[in-house]
Amino acid sequence: MSVTRRRFIEVSAAASALAALRGTAEGSASLAADGGESWVKGVCRYCGTGCGVYMGVRDGSVFAVKGDPDNHNAGFLCMKNFLLPQIMSAPDRLKHPLVRRNGELRRATWDEAMELVAKRFGEAIERRGPDAVGFYGSGQALTEETYVANKLFKAGIGTNNVEGNPRLCMASAVGGYVTSYGKDEPMGSYEDIDHADVFLLVGSNTAECHPILFQRIVRRKETHPETKVIVLDPRRTPTARIADLHIGFEPGTDLAILNAMAQVIVAEGMNDPSFVDEHVSFGQGKAADKSWADYEAFLADYTPQAAAEIAGCSAYDIVTAARWFGGRGKASMSMWTMGLNQRTKGVWVNNLVHNLHLITGKIGTPGSTPLSLTGQPNACGGVRDGGGLSHLLPYGRVIANQTHRAQMEKLWGVPAGTIQPKPGLATVDLFRALEAGDLECLYVMCTNPGQSLPSVGRYRKAMESQGSFVVVTEAYHPTRTTELADVVLPAALWAEKEGVYGCTERRYQLLEQAVEPLGEARPDFAILAELGRRLGYGELVPYESTAQVWEEILTVCAGTPYDFTGMSWEALKQSHGLLWPLPEPGHPGTKRRYVRGEDPLVPSDHPKRMKFYGRADDRAVVWLRPQQPPAEVPDAEYPYYLTTGRVIEHWNTGTMTRSCKELRAAVEAMAEIHPGDAHEIGVEAGDRVKIASRRGEETFRVKVTESSRPGLIFVHMHDADRIGNRITIDAVDPGSKQPEYKICAVRMEKA
Amino acid sequence: MIVAGVVIQTLSGAAGEVARSVDGTSGLEVQGDDGNQRVAALWRAVEGSTLETLSELLVASNERVLGVFPVYVGDIDV
C-alpha cells in the first residue's frame, strides 16, 4: 500500500462527501485515478432499492465502491455499502466444493460434487417421480440464474416445486397488486417521491431498511416543508423522526385503521366519483361483483371511533391521516413492506392500501401512487417477474392457465403437456414435504433457510435428516444452512459475475463483472447448466453466458404486460437502469404504468386517463376486506405479542460483523420491551429473558425502550446465535402463502 | 483499513450541532456541513462492518440523526 494510493482514497472520499453536500454525490467521479485502477458499473447487492454503484478494481480486486451519480440514488449509498469492498475476500468465503462424508463436510472436486448431486437427484426422480425434488432460490440471485433454474425444473425435470425466498417477504404485495390491478408490480416509480405532498408509510421502517428512499423523502420535505409524513407502525422506529403523525397500534389491527381512513374520506366527500365511475369495480371474497353502495355500507362499521377502539389508537389521529391523504389537490404516495406483507391477512391489508388510492383517484399522476418496497435486490426482476415461484411462469403467466403453459412450452421448445398443470409447493409446504419425506432432494441457491424460515427448528431437523439430500450453492461457509447440507457448492459473488437485477420500481440494471470468481467458485447459472447436462437436459439449458440467457429472456417477455424487449444487453450496459414496459429499442422506459401517454401498452387514443389492462374489463378493484385477527393472539398462557424485523441488513456478513469483538454486543439480537413490561417481570436493561412460543424458545438480553408498545416485544432477525425464528409462527396467508413473521404470541420470563 | 466519505443526514437545522458532537469520535473526521441538515465526514475503521455498526449506533443514539450515507468507500489495503 503506497502512501500515494492511501492518500488518493482519502482525498477521493473527502471530496465526494463535500460534493455531496450540494445534494448529489458527484465529486469522486471526476477525480483523476492514481494509476492502475478501473471503475466498473454495477448495482448494490443488498436491498431492493437497486442503487447504482461503481466498483473500483485494482490488481484484480475490488478496492472501493462509490455511488453512481447518474442513477436514481444520485451517488448516495446506505450504510450497508461500507461492507462491499471487503465482502469479496472475507475469511468465510467458500473457495471449493464440500461433500458430507461420515457426517463431516469435506473438500471435494467439482466433478465429485456434481456427480453426487446428479446421482441423488436422478435416483429420486426415477424412483419417486419429478415431485420428489425441488428448488429453493433467492431474490438475491441474478435474473438469468432464476430463469435457468425455473426452466430446468419446470420444463426439464418436470416439477413445479420451484420456490424462492421472496415468498417470505413480498408474496402478499404480489397478491395485492394482482387482485387489485390484475398484474403484479407497482405502477409508479421513485420519481413520484419528488412530487408527493403526503406520504403514508405503513408497516415500513423506511429509515433503516430503505435508507436511500427515506433520504429522498427527507429531501422532498426539506424543499417542500408543507409535505406531510404519516407513519403507521406499532413501534416508534427511526422512520417516525420525520413523521408529522405517528399512529401506533395493536399488531394486526391496521385493517380496521385503513378501512376507517376510507370511511372518513367517503364521509367527508374526499372520494373521486368520476375516477371511480370510469376505472373501478368493487369486490368481496374473490368476485368483483359489488357496488359503491355495498362499499359504503361495508365502511359503516369502521368509524374512526370503532377502529380506534379495535386498534388501541386515537380516533382523532385516524381522521387526521384520512384528511391529509384524501385532501383535494394533494398528491398522496403510500409505501409499505414487511409489516403488511408478513401477515396471514397480508393480501387483504395490501388491498386496503390500494383502496385508498382508488377511491380518491390518487393514482397514476405525479406523486400519487401505491409503491410496495422490496427487501432484496432482485426479488422483483428475477423471481416475481421471472416467474420463479411454484404457481408462476415467466412474465405474468401462471401454471394454472393452460394457455400460459402452452406458450411457455412452445417458447422453451418442449412437447405440449410437459409443464405440470398443478402448481408446486409453496415455501412452507415445500419444507414440510421435506420434513414428511415426500420431498427427497432440495437444491438451495443463494439463500439461508436454515435461519430465515419461520418456526425454523422443525425445518432445520428436516434439512439435516438422513432421508433428505440438500445441496446448497453459497458464497460463504459456514452459514446456518450450509452446516446442514449434504453438498455445498462455491458460488461466485456479486462483482464476480454479470447479469440483470430488477428492483422495486421495475428498474432493470446490468451488474457487470468486475473481477474473477474467488478460488473455484462458479456463477450459479453455470452450476445449474452443468446439473442440467448431467441430468440429460443439456439441450434445454445450453448456456455459456448470462448474456446468452438474457437474449432468450427477451423473447419470453415479448408481447406480455412486462414487455422489455427493447432492453438489449448493450442498452442495459449503456444505461443507468431502465424501467419496463420498454417494448422496443430506443424507448425511454415507463415511469407510470397503466397511464395513457406514458405506458406504451395503453393505446394513445384510449378514452380514459388510465387502463388497468391486467384485468379483462380494464378496471381496478376496490375490495371489501374486514378486520380479522392474526393467526395467533396473546392469551393467558402466552400474553405478549412478538414481532420481528430488520434493524439493518447483515446478510451473509454476520460472521464478519460478529468477528469484531468490541462490537459484538452491539449486533446481538436484543428483546426490545416497553418499560412497563420490564417492570412487570422484574428486569432491567441488560438482563436476560427467555421468550417462548408454542413452537420454540430463545434467550435474549433486554433493551428497555419507549419505541415498543406495552405488551409488544421486538427482536431483529439477523443474529445467527440467537435465532428469533425458532419462536415465530409458520401460519401463512391463504392467498399469498406468505408466513406471518410479524405477529405471534409469546410468554416472557427473566432468565 | 476502510476509508469512507459519508454524508450524515440530520433533522432540519441540526447539522452544525451534530457536526460538533460527532467530530473526532470513533475515527470520524468532519469535513464540513451545509448549515442545515447535512454533514460531510471522512470515516476510517479497520473493517467495513465496524463502520456499518457505528453508523447504526449513531442513528440509534441520536434523535437528530436521520441516516448515514456513504458516497465513497475504499479499502486501502487492496
Side-chain angles (χ1 to χ4, degrees):
Chain A
M1 177 66 223
S2 71
V3 172
T4 304
R5 283 184 172 179
R6 179 191 181 115
R7 187 65 190 145
F8 167 71
I9 288 176
E10 289 179 336
V11 169
S12 298
S16 300
L18 281 167
L21 290 180
R22 292 196 303 268
T24 56
E26 295 174 329
S28 62
S30 59
L31 286 173
D34 74 334
E37 67 269 10
S38 59
W39 291 93
V40 180
K41 186 161 62 68
V43 189
C44 175
R45 179 259 174 275
Y46 291 102
C47 83
T49 307
C51 294
V53 302
Y54 279 100
M55 303 172 281
V57 180
R58 176 190 294 143
D59 301 330
S61 299
V62 175
F63 78 97
V65 295
K66 62 186 179 185
D68 179 355
D70 297 315
N71 209 310
H72 72 80
N73 50 308
F76 289 99
L77 301 170
C78 79
M79 304 177 207
K80 293 184 283 291
N81 286 267
F82 286 128
L83 302 167
L84 280 179
Q86 292 182 319
I87 61 168
M88 308 301 298
S89 56
D92 55 353
R93 278 298 304 275
L94 179 62
K95 297 174 188 163
H96 48 74
L98 300 171
V99 169
R100 190 171 297 280
R101 295 188 181 112
N102 300 321
E104 299 285 326
L105 283 170
R106 298 178 190 278
R107 182 169 182 168
T109 67
W110 267 103
D111 193 52
E112 289 167 338
M114 291 305 294
E115 187 181 345
L116 176 61
V117 174
K119 179 171 176 288
R120 290 296 303 264
F121 271 67
E123 286 174 355
I125 294 163
E126 191 176 332
R127 195 169 4 95
R128 305 174 63 179
D131 288 339
V133 305
F135 172 85
Y136 187 65
S138 169
Q140 296 164 55
L142 298 169
T143 297
E144 296 85 347
E145 294 167 342
T146 298
Y147 179 84
V148 174
N150 209 19
K151 186 179 182 185
L152 173 62
F153 279 76
K154 287 176 182 168
I157 293 169
T159 180
N160 293 329
N161 288 337
V162 174
E163 273 288 284
N165 59 17
R167 181 75 75 180
L168 308 181
C169 64
M170 53 198 311
S172 295
V174 175
Y177 281 118
V178 170
T179 50
S180 291
Y181 307 103
K183 289 293 175 193
D184 184 25
E185 295 293 6
M187 63 284 297
S189 66
Y190 299 153
E191 192 196 84
D192 285 307
I193 296 172
D194 305 334
H195 301 282
D197 300 306
V198 179
F199 292 94
L200 175 65
L201 307 177
V202 49
S204 164
N205 181 3
T206 323
E208 291 191 273
C209 298
H210 297 91
I212 292 296
L213 300 181
F214 181 73
Q215 184 198 37
R216 199 157 172 170
I217 297 170
V218 170
R219 204 176 304 144
R220 171 67 182 168
K221 208 164 160 53
E222 181 184 3
T223 55
H224 295 77
E226 71 282 5
T227 303
K228 300 292 188 191
V229 177
I230 307 162
V231 174
L232 260 64
D233 195 317
R235 301 169 57 230
R236 190 184 184 282
T237 69
T239 304
R241 289 176 190 173
I242 62 161
D244 298 278
L245 175 64
H246 170 233
I247 302 180
F249 55 89
E250 189 91 354
T253 61
D254 40 7
L255 290 92
I257 294 172
L258 293 165
N259 274 329
M261 285 177 66
Q263 194 273 345
V264 174
I265 284 168
V266 173
E268 298 192 3
M270 292 179 282
N271 54 306
D272 184 339
S274 65
F275 182 87
V276 168
D277 188 47
E278 291 197 327
H279 294 96
V280 176
S281 297
F282 295 85
Q284 194 168 28
K286 292 184 177 178
D289 58 359
K290 296 294 175 186
S291 65
W292 173 261
D294 294 327
Y295 182 56
E296 275 193 302
F298 165 80
L299 291 178
D301 289 340
Y302 295 97
T303 62
Q305 292 75 18
E309 196 163 313
I310 293 168
C313 65
S314 149
Y316 179 80
D317 286 348
I318 295 175
V319 173
T320 302
R323 286 176 178 166
W324 286 352
F325 187 95
R328 291 269 181 213
K330 300 289 185 187
S332 297
M333 183 169 187
S334 58
M335 298 186 199
W336 68 96
T337 179
M338 309 310 162
L340 297 195
N341 297 339
Q342 292 179 330
R343 305 270 296 279
T344 51
K345 302 295 175 292
V347 175
W348 283 17
V349 74
N350 269 263
N351 289 145
L352 296 184
V353 174
H354 296 305
N355 285 358
L356 294 177
H357 289 275
L358 291 170
I359 63 172
T360 57
K362 292 177 187 284
I363 188 166
T365 53
S368 284
T369 198
L371 184 74
S372 89
L373 305 181
T374 314
Q376 299 184 90
N378 200 30
C380 289
V383 178
R384 281 167 68 166
D385 304 350
L389 293 174
S390 61
H391 66 296
L392 295 177
L393 288 166
Y395 305 111
R397 303 176 177 97
V398 295
I399 290 282
N401 184 311
Q402 198 276 331
T403 305
H404 291 174
R405 291 198 306 279
Q407 284 174 2
M408 288 314 304
E409 285 161 347
K410 189 174 175 190
L411 286 162
W412 280 342
V414 296
T418 298
I419 299 173
Q420 287 198 52
K422 187 180 170 191
L425 300 170
T427 293
V428 168
D429 287 335
L430 189 74
F431 282 89
R432 283 181 182 165
L434 194 71
E435 182 184 52
D438 297 332
L439 187 83
E440 190 173 316
C441 298
L442 183 63
Y443 186 110
V444 177
M445 182 176 82
C446 197
T447 185
N448 192 6
Q451 183 174 338
S452 60
L453 289 171
S455 191
V456 73
R458 62 185 288 192
Y459 304 118
R460 287 180 60 81
K461 283 181 194 159
M463 281 185 267
E464 68 179 342
S465 77
Q466 288 286 331
S468 66
F469 180 78
V470 176
V471 53
V472 179
T473 69
E474 243 301 350
Y476 297 91
H477 174 73
T479 72
R480 298 313 297 264
T481 302
T482 63
E483 68 187 7
L484 306 173
D486 295 282
V487 175
V488 187
L489 302 171
L493 173 69
W494 188 54
E496 297 169 349
K497 57 185 182 180
E498 64 181 355
V500 176
Y501 273 165
C503 72
T504 295
E505 61 165 354
R506 296 172 283 106
R507 177 184 294 262
Y508 283 9
Q509 312 187 71
L510 183 63
L511 170 68
E512 297 182 30
Q513 183 177 357
V515 296
E516 290 300 313
L518 195 66
E520 297 176 23
R522 295 179 182 177
D524 273 302
F525 94 91
I527 304 173
L528 286 159
E530 172 68 13
L531 176 62
R533 278 190 287 277
R534 287 175 183 262
L535 289 174
Y537 304 109
E539 288 183 9
L540 195 66
V541 287
Y543 314 111
E544 299 292 332
S545 69
T546 44
Q548 207 180 2
V549 180
W550 184 254
E551 281 300 309
E552 182 173 311
I553 289 174
L554 293 182
T555 68
V556 170
C557 75
T560 72
Y562 293 71
D563 200 329
F564 50 86
T565 45
M567 286 189 201
S568 67
W569 200 257
E570 192 53 35
L572 287 166
K573 220 167 202 169
Q574 296 301 323
S575 77
H576 299 265
L578 295 167
L579 280 64
W580 58 265
L582 197 156
E584 58 196 32
H587 188 280
T590 305
K591 287 178 182 166
R592 287 176 198 89
R593 203 175 168 205
Y594 303 131
V595 178
R596 185 185 58 205
E598 296 204 43
D599 184 339
L601 304 184
V602 176
S604 57
D605 59 352
H606 184 67
K608 301 172 184 174
R609 177 166 75 81
M610 297 185 78
K611 176 180 168 70
F612 295 107
Y613 50 75
R615 292 182 55 83
D617 62 1
D618 294 337
R619 287 174 170 269
V621 183
V622 166
W623 291 101
L624 284 56
R625 303 300 195 201
Q627 168 65 37
Q628 285 197 358
E632 195 174 68
V633 294
D635 55 23
E637 198 178 354
Y638 296 93
Y640 297 94
Y641 279 112
L642 175 77
T643 190
T644 64
R646 290 171 172 159
V647 176
I648 194 154
E649 317 246 11
H650 290 290
W651 298 84
N652 288 314
T653 61
T655 306
M656 283 199 302
T657 310
R658 289 191 304 279
S659 71
C660 185
K661 287 179 185 171
E662 69 273 26
L663 296 170
R664 191 174 292 157
V667 299
E668 173 186 337
M670 311 276 281
E672 296 187 13
I673 64 176
H674 187 269
D677 294 333
H679 179 74
E680 191 175 298
I681 65 166
V683 295
E684 296 177 350
D687 287 348
R688 291 161 66 82
V689 290
K690 185 171 80 177
I691 296 176
S693 71
R694 291 176 174 84
R695 294 154 295 281
E697 63 184 42
E698 192 60 271
T699 301
F700 304 92
R701 287 196 304 131
V702 168
K703 178 180 177 183
V704 180
T705 171
E706 296 276 356
S707 69
S708 270
R709 290 171 64 83
L712 175 65
I713 304 163
F714 172 80
V715 173
H716 82 66
M717 57 188 270
H718 299 290
D719 188 341
D721 294 329
R722 281 158 288 271
I723 303 179
N725 280 326
R726 293 188 199 281
I727 307 167
T728 51
I729 192 167
D730 54 358
V732 300
D733 181 291
S736 71
K737 311 293 183 191
Q738 181 163 354
E740 191 157 56
Y741 287 95
K742 285 295 174 191
I743 306 172
C744 72
V746 297
R747 63 171 178 258
M748 174 171 62
E749 60 193 45
K750 189 171 182 177
Chain B
M1 166 73 78
I2 292 290
V3 178
V6 305
V7 170
I8 301 169
Q9 183 87 42
T10 74
L11 288 174
S12 183
E17 200 180 336
V18 168
R20 285 190 291 279
S21 70
V22 301
D23 192 20
T25 62
S26 306
L28 191 147
E29 192 181 299
V30 169
Q31 304 292 304
D33 66 73
D34 71 348
N36 184 21
Q37 57 183 115
R38 275 184 280 271
V39 179
L42 199 60
W43 214 346
R44 298 180 182 87
V46 173
E47 291 187 342
S49 55
T50 308
L51 289 182
E52 182 199 30
T53 308
L54 288 169
S55 301
E56 184 186 354
L57 292 174
L58 180 62
V59 174
S61 63
N62 194 329
E63 284 279 328
R64 296 162 302 175
V65 174
L66 298 176
V68 176
F69 298 93
V71 289
Y72 185 106
V73 183
D75 183 350
I76 64 174
D77 297 320
V78 174

